[in-house]
Amino acid sequence: LIGINEHNSVKLHIYDVSQRRPVHTLIHKAALLASAYIDTGGKKLIVVATCDYHITIWDTQSVWEASGFSELQPPLVATESQTCLFWDASTSTLYSGGINGLVSTWDLATHEAAAAPKLIGHKSSVRVILDVPSLNGMITASLDATMILWDKHTGKKRKTYRGHRNGIMAVAYSIDLKMIISAGITHE
């Protein structure tokens, strides 16, 4: 499954890539969508961050039921808008990247920010959180033109990558090539 949200919209269109067809449109009733994450593995969650600082979590098992999505209550409340999300099933942790450059961790049992410290390292909006299991870490990328490789278990910074003149909007990792690929804002 992949999700595509419309610009300045409350809609998240969900598509089944293998069958090349739309399967559902999720409509958030409260605010415009800022980011979304779909976990088709472990917990099978759809996580949506909205412009009103809320993070709402739905159970995807209910996608196939007539009643639609089952919202897990209550929504998480961030201190600023969250621009990217990542659910790590191996550590049962939800990560969210904020416009202030911080990456927050969330405890879904208590629906509050986890006791673990925020990942601090970016100076501008975090745009990507990417799992890199072969390195036992994750990569964050920001509009400050840096990528950071974090240790998932300790939350410590392992390495900061620089090379873009402007912000980074997309990141991919190739396990076969052992390569991190990033795309910048201005054709770099």
Side-chain angles (χ1 to χ4, degrees):
L1 297 177
I2 63 166
I4 300 172
N5 75 301
E6 298 174 11
H7 181 69
N8 290 328
S9 173
V10 295
K11 294 180 182 179
L12 176 67
H13 301 287
I14 301 168
Y15 295 87
D16 182 329
V17 178
S18 64
Q19 296 182 12
R20 297 185 180 132
R21 66 179 183 86
V23 293
H24 196 74
T25 297
L26 180 111
I27 300 174
H28 197 281
K29 294 177 174 78
L32 298 177
L33 304 182
S35 62
Y37 181 83
I38 299 176
D39 173 50
T40 56
K43 274 191 161 297
K44 299 189 182 330
L45 303 174
I46 295 176
V47 185
V48 175
T50 56
C51 293
D52 65 355
Y53 306 168
H54 287 84
I55 299 172
T56 307
I57 302 165
W58 285 274
D59 172 14
T60 62
Q61 293 299 327
S62 60
V63 168
W64 313 117
E65 298 171 6
S67 61
F69 290 93
S70 173
E71 186 176 322
L72 303 177
Q73 293 288 338
L76 306 171
V77 180
T79 56
E80 68 282 325
S81 185
Q82 302 299 292
T83 55
C84 58
L85 300 160
F86 168 66
W87 166 253
D88 183 5
S90 69
T91 62
S92 295
T93 304
L94 175 67
Y95 295 91
S96 65
I99 59 170
N100 62 359
L102 299 177
V103 176
S104 299
T105 58
W106 298 90
D107 181 345
L108 296 189
T110 64
H111 287 269
E112 295 180 358
K118 295 183 180 193
L119 305 180
I120 300 170
H122 291 293
K123 293 179 172 80
S124 187
S125 179
V126 178
R127 303 305 297 179
V128 177
I129 303 173
L130 177 71
D131 190 27
V132 188
S134 63
L135 296 176
N136 197 23
M138 65 182 190
I139 292 174
T140 57
S142 169
L143 293 181
D144 68 4
T146 64
M147 291 186 303
I148 299 175
L149 174 62
W150 303 91
D151 184 297
K152 279 199 296 193
H153 300 289
T154 66
K156 293 190 178 182
K157 215 187 305 187
R158 282 200 201 147
K159 182 169 179 71
T160 300
Y161 299 91
R162 292 176 172 77
H164 287 273
R165 289 184 300 257
N166 295 301
I168 300 170
M169 293 300 293
V171 176
Y173 176 73
S174 169
I175 192 166
D176 297 333
L177 299 174
K178 295 181 175 59
M179 184 181 296
I180 301 167
I181 304 158
S182 61
I185 292 175
T186 54
H187 310 290
E188 44 179 354

mmCIF file with all atom_site columns, all heavy atoms in Angstrom, residues 68-87:
data_model
loop_
_atom_site.group_PDB
_atom_site.id
_atom_site.type_symbol
_atom_site.label_atom_id
_atom_site.label_alt_id
_atom_site.label_comp_id
_atom_site.label_asym_id
_atom_site.label_entity_id
_atom_site.label_seq_id
_atom_site.pdbx_PDB_ins_code
_atom_site.Cartn_x
_atom_site.Cartn_y
_atom_site.Cartn_z
_atom_site.occupancy
_atom_site.B_iso_or_equiv
_atom_site.pdbx_formal_charge
_atom_site.auth_seq_id
_atom_site.auth_comp_id
_atom_site.auth_asym_id
_atom_site.auth_atom_id
_atom_site.pdbx_PDB_model_num
ATOM 1   N N   . GLY A 1 68 ? -15.022 0.888  7.778  1.00 0.00 ? 68 GLY A N   1
ATOM 2   C CA  . GLY A 1 68 ? -13.916 1.806  7.496  1.00 0.00 ? 68 GLY A CA  1
ATOM 3   C C   . GLY A 1 68 ? -12.799 1.674  8.503  1.00 0.00 ? 68 GLY A C   1
ATOM 4   O O   . GLY A 1 68 ? -12.625 0.643  9.126  1.00 0.00 ? 68 GLY A O   1
ATOM 5   N N   . PHE A 1 69 ? -12.038 2.759  8.691  1.00 0.00 ? 69 PHE A N   1
ATOM 6   C CA  . PHE A 1 69 ? -10.874 2.745  9.553  1.00 0.00 ? 69 PHE A CA  1
ATOM 7   C C   . PHE A 1 69 ? -11.269 2.832  11.018 1.00 0.00 ? 69 PHE A C   1
ATOM 8   O O   . PHE A 1 69 ? -12.201 3.533  11.380 1.00 0.00 ? 69 PHE A O   1
ATOM 9   C CB  . PHE A 1 69 ? -9.947  3.919  9.234  1.00 0.00 ? 69 PHE A CB  1
ATOM 10  C CG  . PHE A 1 69 ? -9.269  3.772  7.920  1.00 0.00 ? 69 PHE A CG  1
ATOM 11  C CD1 . PHE A 1 69 ? -9.817  4.323  6.782  1.00 0.00 ? 69 PHE A CD1 1
ATOM 12  C CD2 . PHE A 1 69 ? -8.077  3.095  7.827  1.00 0.00 ? 69 PHE A CD2 1
ATOM 13  C CE1 . PHE A 1 69 ? -9.197  4.196  5.572  1.00 0.00 ? 69 PHE A CE1 1
ATOM 14  C CE2 . PHE A 1 69 ? -7.445  2.967  6.610  1.00 0.00 ? 69 PHE A CE2 1
ATOM 15  C CZ  . PHE A 1 69 ? -8.002  3.515  5.478  1.00 0.00 ? 69 PHE A CZ  1
ATOM 16  N N   . SER A 1 70 ? -10.490 2.158  11.842 1.00 0.00 ? 70 SER A N   1
ATOM 17  C CA  . SER A 1 70 ? -10.682 2.233  13.288 1.00 0.00 ? 70 SER A CA  1
ATOM 18  C C   . SER A 1 70 ? -9.594  3.128  13.859 1.00 0.00 ? 70 SER A C   1
ATOM 19  O O   . SER A 1 70 ? -8.418  2.794  13.825 1.00 0.00 ? 70 SER A O   1
ATOM 20  C CB  . SER A 1 70 ? -10.578 0.825  13.876 1.00 0.00 ? 70 SER A CB  1
ATOM 21  O OG  . SER A 1 70 ? -10.591 0.874  15.267 1.00 0.00 ? 70 SER A OG  1
ATOM 22  N N   . GLU A 1 71 ? -9.984  4.298  14.361 1.00 0.00 ? 71 GLU A N   1
ATOM 23  C CA  . GLU A 1 71 ? -9.023  5.254  14.895 1.00 0.00 ? 71 GLU A CA  1
ATOM 24  C C   . GLU A 1 71 ? -8.619  4.844  16.301 1.00 0.00 ? 71 GLU A C   1
ATOM 25  O O   . GLU A 1 71 ? -9.467  4.559  17.144 1.00 0.00 ? 71 GLU A O   1
ATOM 26  C CB  . GLU A 1 71 ? -9.645  6.646  14.918 1.00 0.00 ? 71 GLU A CB  1
ATOM 27  C CG  . GLU A 1 71 ? -8.686  7.730  15.327 1.00 0.00 ? 71 GLU A CG  1
ATOM 28  C CD  . GLU A 1 71 ? -9.332  9.104  15.236 1.00 0.00 ? 71 GLU A CD  1
ATOM 29  O OE1 . GLU A 1 71 ? -10.100 9.348  14.300 1.00 0.00 ? 71 GLU A OE1 1
ATOM 30  O OE2 . GLU A 1 71 ? -9.046  9.909  16.132 1.00 0.00 ? 71 GLU A OE2 1
ATOM 31  N N   . LEU A 1 72 ? -7.311  4.771  16.544 1.00 0.00 ? 72 LEU A N   1
ATOM 32  C CA  . LEU A 1 72 ? -6.824  4.476  17.878 1.00 0.00 ? 72 LEU A CA  1
ATOM 33  C C   . LEU A 1 72 ? -6.827  5.778  18.659 1.00 0.00 ? 72 LEU A C   1
ATOM 34  O O   . LEU A 1 72 ? -6.327  6.780  18.206 1.00 0.00 ? 72 LEU A O   1
ATOM 35  C CB  . LEU A 1 72 ? -5.413  3.873  17.816 1.00 0.00 ? 72 LEU A CB  1
ATOM 36  C CG  . LEU A 1 72 ? -5.283  2.602  16.971 1.00 0.00 ? 72 LEU A CG  1
ATOM 37  C CD1 . LEU A 1 72 ? -3.838  2.152  16.936 1.00 0.00 ? 72 LEU A CD1 1
ATOM 38  C CD2 . LEU A 1 72 ? -6.176  1.502  17.507 1.00 0.00 ? 72 LEU A CD2 1
ATOM 39  N N   . GLN A 1 73 ? -7.394  5.793  19.832 1.00 0.00 ? 73 GLN A N   1
ATOM 40  C CA  . GLN A 1 73 ? -7.567  7.019  20.628 1.00 0.00 ? 73 GLN A CA  1
ATOM 41  C C   . GLN A 1 73 ? -6.538  7.102  21.727 1.00 0.00 ? 73 GLN A C   1
ATOM 42  O O   . GLN A 1 73 ? -6.083  6.082  22.204 1.00 0.00 ? 73 GLN A O   1
ATOM 43  C CB  . GLN A 1 73 ? -8.970  7.039  21.243 1.00 0.00 ? 73 GLN A CB  1
ATOM 44  C CG  . GLN A 1 73 ? -10.075 7.180  20.240 1.00 0.00 ? 73 GLN A CG  1
ATOM 45  C CD  . GLN A 1 73 ? -10.152 8.564  19.643 1.00 0.00 ? 73 GLN A CD  1
ATOM 46  O OE1 . GLN A 1 73 ? -9.671  9.535  20.217 1.00 0.00 ? 73 GLN A OE1 1
ATOM 47  N NE2 . GLN A 1 73 ? -10.731 8.663  18.471 1.00 0.00 ? 73 GLN A NE2 1
ATOM 48  N N   . PRO A 1 74 ? -6.246  8.228  22.245 1.00 0.00 ? 74 PRO A N   1
ATOM 49  C CA  . PRO A 1 74 ? -6.521  9.542  21.664 1.00 0.00 ? 74 PRO A CA  1
ATOM 50  C C   . PRO A 1 74 ? -5.405  9.919  20.701 1.00 0.00 ? 74 PRO A C   1
ATOM 51  O O   . PRO A 1 74 ? -4.360  9.270  20.689 1.00 0.00 ? 74 PRO A O   1
ATOM 52  C CB  . PRO A 1 74 ? -6.502  10.449 22.897 1.00 0.00 ? 74 PRO A CB  1
ATOM 53  C CG  . PRO A 1 74 ? -5.480  9.825  23.787 1.00 0.00 ? 74 PRO A CG  1
ATOM 54  C CD  . PRO A 1 74 ? -5.624  8.325  23.569 1.00 0.00 ? 74 PRO A CD  1
ATOM 55  N N   . PRO A 1 75 ? -5.567  10.991 19.922 1.00 0.00 ? 75 PRO A N   1
ATOM 56  C CA  . PRO A 1 75 ? -4.472  11.415 19.048 1.00 0.00 ? 75 PRO A CA  1
ATOM 57  C C   . PRO A 1 75 ? -3.291  11.914 19.884 1.00 0.00 ? 75 PRO A C   1
ATOM 58  O O   . PRO A 1 75 ? -3.481  12.395 20.999 1.00 0.00 ? 75 PRO A O   1
ATOM 59  C CB  . PRO A 1 75 ? -5.055  12.567 18.230 1.00 0.00 ? 75 PRO A CB  1
ATOM 60  C CG  . PRO A 1 75 ? -6.469  12.700 18.618 1.00 0.00 ? 75 PRO A CG  1
ATOM 61  C CD  . PRO A 1 75 ? -6.749  11.804 19.771 1.00 0.00 ? 75 PRO A CD  1
ATOM 62  N N   . LEU A 1 76 ? -2.099  11.771 19.342 1.00 0.00 ? 76 LEU A N   1
ATOM 63  C CA  . LEU A 1 76 ? -0.911  12.324 19.979 1.00 0.00 ? 76 LEU A CA  1
ATOM 64  C C   . LEU A 1 76 ? -0.889  13.821 19.689 1.00 0.00 ? 76 LEU A C   1
ATOM 65  O O   . LEU A 1 76 ? -1.352  14.251 18.641 1.00 0.00 ? 76 LEU A O   1
ATOM 66  C CB  . LEU A 1 76 ? 0.348   11.668 19.412 1.00 0.00 ? 76 LEU A CB  1
ATOM 67  C CG  . LEU A 1 76 ? 0.390   10.136 19.451 1.00 0.00 ? 76 LEU A CG  1
ATOM 68  C CD1 . LEU A 1 76 ? 1.580   9.625  18.663 1.00 0.00 ? 76 LEU A CD1 1
ATOM 69  C CD2 . LEU A 1 76 ? 0.425   9.632  20.866 1.00 0.00 ? 76 LEU A CD2 1
ATOM 70  N N   . VAL A 1 77 ? -0.345  14.609 20.598 1.00 0.00 ? 77 VAL A N   1
ATOM 71  C CA  . VAL A 1 77 ? -0.283  16.050 20.388 1.00 0.00 ? 77 VAL A CA  1
ATOM 72  C C   . VAL A 1 77 ? 1.174   16.497 20.443 1.00 0.00 ? 77 VAL A C   1
ATOM 73  O O   . VAL A 1 77 ? 1.841   16.345 21.469 1.00 0.00 ? 77 VAL A O   1
ATOM 74  C CB  . VAL A 1 77 ? -1.117  16.815 21.438 1.00 0.00 ? 77 VAL A CB  1
ATOM 75  C CG1 . VAL A 1 77 ? -1.032  18.314 21.180 1.00 0.00 ? 77 VAL A CG1 1
ATOM 76  C CG2 . VAL A 1 77 ? -2.564  16.350 21.417 1.00 0.00 ? 77 VAL A CG2 1
ATOM 77  N N   . ALA A 1 78 ? 1.665   17.025 19.334 1.00 0.00 ? 78 ALA A N   1
ATOM 78  C CA  . ALA A 1 78 ? 3.041   17.512 19.240 1.00 0.00 ? 78 ALA A CA  1
ATOM 79  C C   . ALA A 1 78 ? 3.076   18.996 19.614 1.00 0.00 ? 78 ALA A C   1
ATOM 80  O O   . ALA A 1 78 ? 2.043   19.635 19.744 1.00 0.00 ? 78 ALA A O   1
ATOM 81  C CB  . ALA A 1 78 ? 3.562   17.305 17.823 1.00 0.00 ? 78 ALA A CB  1
ATOM 82  N N   . THR A 1 79 ? 4.275   19.522 19.756 1.00 0.00 ? 79 THR A N   1
ATOM 83  C CA  . THR A 1 79 ? 4.422   20.939 20.091 1.00 0.00 ? 79 THR A CA  1
ATOM 84  C C   . THR A 1 79 ? 4.587   21.811 18.847 1.00 0.00 ? 79 THR A C   1
ATOM 85  O O   . THR A 1 79 ? 4.604   23.033 18.950 1.00 0.00 ? 79 THR A O   1
ATOM 86  C CB  . THR A 1 79 ? 5.625   21.165 21.023 1.00 0.00 ? 79 THR A CB  1
ATOM 87  O OG1 . THR A 1 79 ? 6.795   20.630 20.381 1.00 0.00 ? 79 THR A OG1 1
ATOM 88  C CG2 . THR A 1 79 ? 5.411   20.475 22.363 1.00 0.00 ? 79 THR A CG2 1
ATOM 89  N N   . GLU A 1 80 ? 4.723   21.173 17.668 1.00 0.00 ? 80 GLU A N   1
ATOM 90  C CA  . GLU A 1 80 ? 4.824   21.890 16.405 1.00 0.00 ? 80 GLU A CA  1
ATOM 91  C C   . GLU A 1 80 ? 4.384   20.952 15.291 1.00 0.00 ? 80 GLU A C   1
ATOM 92  O O   . GLU A 1 80 ? 4.188   19.765 15.516 1.00 0.00 ? 80 GLU A O   1
ATOM 93  C CB  . GLU A 1 80 ? 6.258   22.390 16.150 1.00 0.00 ? 80 GLU A CB  1
ATOM 94  C CG  . GLU A 1 80 ? 7.287   21.306 15.900 1.00 0.00 ? 80 GLU A CG  1
ATOM 95  C CD  . GLU A 1 80 ? 7.763   20.607 17.166 1.00 0.00 ? 80 GLU A CD  1
ATOM 96  O OE1 . GLU A 1 80 ? 7.871   21.264 18.197 1.00 0.00 ? 80 GLU A OE1 1
ATOM 97  O OE2 . GLU A 1 80 ? 7.996   19.400 17.120 1.00 0.00 ? 80 GLU A OE2 1
ATOM 98  N N   . SER A 1 81 ? 4.259   21.464 14.089 1.00 0.00 ? 81 SER A N   1
ATOM 99  C CA  . SER A 1 81 ? 3.839   20.651 12.958 1.00 0.00 ? 81 SER A CA  1
ATOM 100 C C   . SER A 1 81 ? 4.892   19.588 12.657 1.00 0.00 ? 81 SER A C   1
ATOM 101 O O   . SER A 1 81 ? 6.096   19.862 12.673 1.00 0.00 ? 81 SER A O   1
ATOM 102 C CB  . SER A 1 81 ? 3.626   21.542 11.732 1.00 0.00 ? 81 SER A CB  1
ATOM 103 O OG  . SER A 1 81 ? 3.119   20.786 10.668 1.00 0.00 ? 81 SER A OG  1
ATOM 104 N N   . GLN A 1 82 ? 4.434   18.369 12.366 1.00 0.00 ? 82 GLN A N   1
ATOM 105 C CA  . GLN A 1 82 ? 5.315   17.251 12.062 1.00 0.00 ? 82 GLN A CA  1
ATOM 106 C C   . GLN A 1 82 ? 5.312   17.010 10.561 1.00 0.00 ? 82 GLN A C   1
ATOM 107 O O   . GLN A 1 82 ? 4.255   16.846 9.957  1.00 0.00 ? 82 GLN A O   1
ATOM 108 C CB  . GLN A 1 82 ? 4.859   16.004 12.822 1.00 0.00 ? 82 GLN A CB  1
ATOM 109 C CG  . GLN A 1 82 ? 4.818   16.189 14.333 1.00 0.00 ? 82 GLN A CG  1
ATOM 110 C CD  . GLN A 1 82 ? 6.171   16.520 14.914 1.00 0.00 ? 82 GLN A CD  1
ATOM 111 O OE1 . GLN A 1 82 ? 7.084   15.696 14.931 1.00 0.00 ? 82 GLN A OE1 1
ATOM 112 N NE2 . GLN A 1 82 ? 6.334   17.748 15.385 1.00 0.00 ? 82 GLN A NE2 1
ATOM 113 N N   . THR A 1 83 ? 6.492   17.002 9.960  1.00 0.00 ? 83 THR A N   1
ATOM 114 C CA  . THR A 1 83 ? 6.608   16.948 8.502  1.00 0.00 ? 83 THR A CA  1
ATOM 115 C C   . THR A 1 83 ? 6.890   15.559 7.956  1.00 0.00 ? 83 THR A C   1
ATOM 116 O O   . THR A 1 83 ? 6.804   15.347 6.752  1.00 0.00 ? 83 THR A O   1
ATOM 117 C CB  . THR A 1 83 ? 7.719   17.904 8.038  1.00 0.00 ? 83 THR A CB  1
ATOM 118 O OG1 . THR A 1 83 ? 8.919   17.564 8.728  1.00 0.00 ? 83 THR A OG1 1
ATOM 119 C CG2 . THR A 1 83 ? 7.339   19.345 8.327  1.00 0.00 ? 83 THR A CG2 1
ATOM 120 N N   . CYS A 1 84 ? 7.265   14.614 8.816  1.00 0.00 ? 84 CYS A N   1
ATOM 121 C CA  . CYS A 1 84 ? 7.481   13.240 8.368  1.00 0.00 ? 84 CYS A CA  1
ATOM 122 C C   . CYS A 1 84 ? 7.290   12.295 9.550  1.00 0.00 ? 84 CYS A C   1
ATOM 123 O O   . CYS A 1 84 ? 7.439   12.688 10.710 1.00 0.00 ? 84 CYS A O   1
ATOM 124 C CB  . CYS A 1 84 ? 8.848   13.064 7.724  1.00 0.00 ? 84 CYS A CB  1
ATOM 125 S SG  . CYS A 1 84 ? 10.228  13.506 8.784  1.00 0.00 ? 84 CYS A SG  1
ATOM 126 N N   . LEU A 1 85 ? 6.962   11.047 9.225  1.00 0.00 ? 85 LEU A N   1
ATOM 127 C CA  . LEU A 1 85 ? 6.664   10.037 10.241 1.00 0.00 ? 85 LEU A CA  1
ATOM 128 C C   . LEU A 1 85 ? 7.330   8.726  9.876  1.00 0.00 ? 85 LEU A C   1
ATOM 129 O O   . LEU A 1 85 ? 7.530   8.425  8.693  1.00 0.00 ? 85 LEU A O   1
ATOM 130 C CB  . LEU A 1 85 ? 5.151   9.811  10.316 1.00 0.00 ? 85 LEU A CB  1
ATOM 131 C CG  . LEU A 1 85 ? 4.302   11.021 10.687 1.00 0.00 ? 85 LEU A CG  1
ATOM 132 C CD1 . LEU A 1 85 ? 2.865   10.804 10.244 1.00 0.00 ? 85 LEU A CD1 1
ATOM 133 C CD2 . LEU A 1 85 ? 4.384   11.263 12.183 1.00 0.00 ? 85 LEU A CD2 1
ATOM 134 N N   . PHE A 1 86 ? 7.647   7.927  10.887 1.00 0.00 ? 86 PHE A N   1
ATOM 135 C CA  . PHE A 1 86 ? 8.189   6.583  10.658 1.00 0.00 ? 86 PHE A CA  1
ATOM 136 C C   . PHE A 1 86 ? 7.853   5.711  11.851 1.00 0.00 ? 86 PHE A C   1
ATOM 137 O O   . PHE A 1 86 ? 8.136   6.080  12.995 1.00 0.00 ? 86 PHE A O   1
ATOM 138 C CB  . PHE A 1 86 ? 9.714   6.639  10.453 1.00 0.00 ? 86 PHE A CB  1
ATOM 139 C CG  . PHE A 1 86 ? 10.358  5.285  10.496 1.00 0.00 ? 86 PHE A CG  1
ATOM 140 C CD1 . PHE A 1 86 ? 10.084  4.352  9.508  1.00 0.00 ? 86 PHE A CD1 1
ATOM 141 C CD2 . PHE A 1 86 ? 11.211  4.936  11.520 1.00 0.00 ? 86 PHE A CD2 1
ATOM 142 C CE1 . PHE A 1 86 ? 10.658  3.089  9.555  1.00 0.00 ? 86 PHE A CE1 1
ATOM 143 C CE2 . PHE A 1 86 ? 11.786  3.683  11.567 1.00 0.00 ? 86 PHE A CE2 1
ATOM 144 C CZ  . PHE A 1 86 ? 11.520  2.758  10.580 1.00 0.00 ? 86 PHE A CZ  1
ATOM 145 N N   . TRP A 1 87 ? 7.219   4.571  11.604 1.00 0.00 ? 87 TRP A N   1
ATOM 146 C CA  . TRP A 1 87 ? 6.931   3.578  12.638 1.00 0.00 ? 87 TRP A CA  1
ATOM 147 C C   . TRP A 1 87 ? 7.982   2.485  12.548 1.00 0.00 ? 87 TRP A C   1
ATOM 148 O O   . TRP A 1 87 ? 8.150   1.855  11.506 1.00 0.00 ? 87 TRP A O   1
ATOM 149 C CB  . TRP A 1 87 ? 5.539   2.972  12.449 1.00 0.00 ? 87 TRP A CB  1
ATOM 150 C CG  . TRP A 1 87 ? 5.337   1.739  13.255 1.00 0.00 ? 87 TRP A CG  1
ATOM 151 C CD1 . TRP A 1 87 ? 5.296   0.448  12.799 1.00 0.00 ? 87 TRP A CD1 1
ATOM 152 C CD2 . TRP A 1 87 ? 5.176   1.658  14.683 1.00 0.00 ? 87 TRP A CD2 1
ATOM 153 N NE1 . TRP A 1 87 ? 5.108   -0.404 13.838 1.00 0.00 ? 87 TRP A NE1 1
ATOM 154 C CE2 . TRP A 1 87 ? 5.036   0.311  15.012 1.00 0.00 ? 87 TRP A CE2 1
ATOM 155 C CE3 . TRP A 1 87 ? 5.143   2.608  15.704 1.00 0.00 ? 87 TRP A CE3 1
ATOM 156 C CZ2 . TRP A 1 87 ? 4.859   -0.125 16.323 1.00 0.00 ? 87 TRP A CZ2 1
ATOM 157 C CZ3 . TRP A 1 87 ? 4.976   2.176  17.010 1.00 0.00 ? 87 TRP A CZ3 1
ATOM 158 C CH2 . TRP A 1 87 ? 4.833   0.828  17.296 1.00 0.00 ? 87 TRP A CH2 1
#
